[in-house]
Amino acid sequence: MGRYVVRRLLQFIPTVLGTMFLLHYLTSLAVQFSGNPVRALFGDRTPPESILTALTERLGYDDPCLSQRGNPCFGLFGERMENIFLHLDFGINLRQREVTDLVADAMPYTVKLVLIAIVFEAVVGIIAGVLAGLRGGSFTDYLVKISTVFLISVPIFVLGVLIREYVGVKFGNMLRDQDWVPEVIANGVFSPGFKPDYPWASLIIPGLVLGAISLATTARLTRTSIMENVRADFVRTAKAKGLTNKRVVGVHTLRNSLIPVITYLGVDIGTLLGGAVVTETIFNVPGIGRLVTQAARTGESSVVVGVVTMLALVFLIANLLVDVLYAVLDPRIRYE
């Protein structure tokens, strides 16, 4: 197991380098074709060329990548690599704030949002999948299948806008008119957007929206896996030994059925981080997703490169933890 983990960690290096180079290439292209984003700092005024040149160099926009004939893209990329890996310096944005400070301010909100989404999709999705898998062809099974198809077919930006307008605005206004409703519920849980006064409560609805589509996939995956394992030989052997139905389902059937589900949940962390871009924008959550969106709009390439590189590392580490969990769930799995 130790050698496998070391091997996987070494595989992180080319993956992260490739991600960073691709991001650098694309953001440099954007700077070249859309113009120097530093000019936006001056509005309608025309800045002196010396000041513009100094600011452009200071903010890292003096290398438009393809303009370097014979050695494209490696000038600023090498400098960025040195700053990131030797000095942990991801650069600064147009307001000359460190990218690491921006990420440190935004990351807690995204972590809370993804945590709510993961717990929601894992708990509700697995329970719904188990109930549907054990009662194939019943009303519960058809209810789970129909509801999950509905959730999968609705794009997250449509679902988010509908939930915000009808649950956060209309239903929330009804609750706010009632004196008996606690303030944390009326102004926190059912608020139309993020409220700094209720950092956890106001993230519940966005978290549920973020995890809704993944919940549907988790439920259907759990249902299929349960229905396959219920008819397996080891389950029939457990029943023949006289074990209680609760132990047969909870220990033997569910434990083996969770392997593909754990795989999906681990990979889904990256999907949730990507979906947070849409969800945080809709609900005005000051997290990583909104930070990347604003940086892309203003052409702040250093912010985009820094944040996406950090998210790539989180995604790789999550996949490694999922692979390690395989051996915990199924002792037959061993890594050489």
Side-chain angles (χ1 to χ4, degrees), residues 271-290:
T271 305
L272 292 176
L273 290 173
V277 174
V278 178
T279 307
E280 290 178 358
T281 303
I282 292 174
F283 291 94
N284 200 31
V285 179
I288 292 294
R290 201 178 72 168

Side-chain angles (χ1 to χ4, degrees), residues 91-274:
I92 57 178
N93 69 345
L94 292 178
R95 295 175 181 82
Q96 302 194 34
R97 284 197 62 191
E98 296 287 340
V99 174
T100 50
D101 294 338
L102 295 173
V103 172
D105 292 340
M107 183 62 77
Y109 300 105
T110 300
V111 169
K112 293 176 183 177
L113 194 65
V114 172
L115 182 62
I116 293 172
I118 284 286
V119 172
F120 175 57
E121 71 171 276
V123 174
V124 179
I126 290 175
I127 292 176
V130 170
L131 294 177
L134 295 176
R135 298 174 175 84
S138 65
F139 172 78
T140 303
D141 186 25
Y142 284 111
L143 178 63
V144 170
K145 289 193 292 185
I146 293 173
S147 59
T148 52
V149 168
F150 172 76
L151 286 175
I152 292 173
S153 62
V154 179
I156 189 171
F157 60 87
V158 175
L159 182 63
V161 171
L162 290 176
I163 294 296
R164 184 192 64 186
E165 295 301 320
Y166 287 96
V167 177
V169 177
K170 294 187 177 181
F171 185 69
N173 288 336
M174 291 174 54
L175 292 179
R176 284 185 280 275
D177 292 337
Q178 307 297 322
D179 296 333
W180 56 272
V181 179
E183 187 175 353
V184 66
I185 295 178
N187 294 319
V189 176
F190 291 97
S191 63
F194 176 75
K195 295 292 184 65
D197 295 335
Y198 306 100
W200 275 102
S202 60
L203 288 175
I204 292 178
I205 297 297
L208 299 185
V209 171
L210 180 61
I213 297 177
S214 300
L215 177 148
T217 306
T218 301
R220 294 183 73 87
L221 191 60
T222 305
R223 172 187 174 274
T224 302
S225 188
I226 286 287
M227 295 183 73
E228 289 178 356
N229 286 316
V230 160
R231 295 187 291 268
D233 292 338
F234 65 87
V235 174
R236 286 198 294 267
T237 302
K239 292 180 179 178
K241 288 181 178 179
L243 298 179
T244 62
N245 190 56
K246 182 182 297 185
R247 184 169 179 82
V248 170
V249 173
V251 177
H252 297 277
T253 307
L254 182 59
R255 185 173 181 177
N256 287 277
S257 300
L258 283 181
I259 293 177
V261 178
I262 293 297
T263 304
Y264 174 75
L265 291 177
V267 175
D268 193 50
I269 293 177
T271 305
L272 292 176
L273 290 173

Side-chain angles (χ1 to χ4, degrees), residues 79-97:
E79 183 181 339
R80 277 179 172 171
M81 293 291 297
E82 179 183 351
N83 291 335
I84 290 174
F85 289 105
L86 296 183
H87 308 291
L88 294 178
D89 180 11
F90 285 87
I92 57 178
N93 69 345
L94 292 178
R95 295 175 181 82
Q96 302 194 34
R97 284 197 62 191

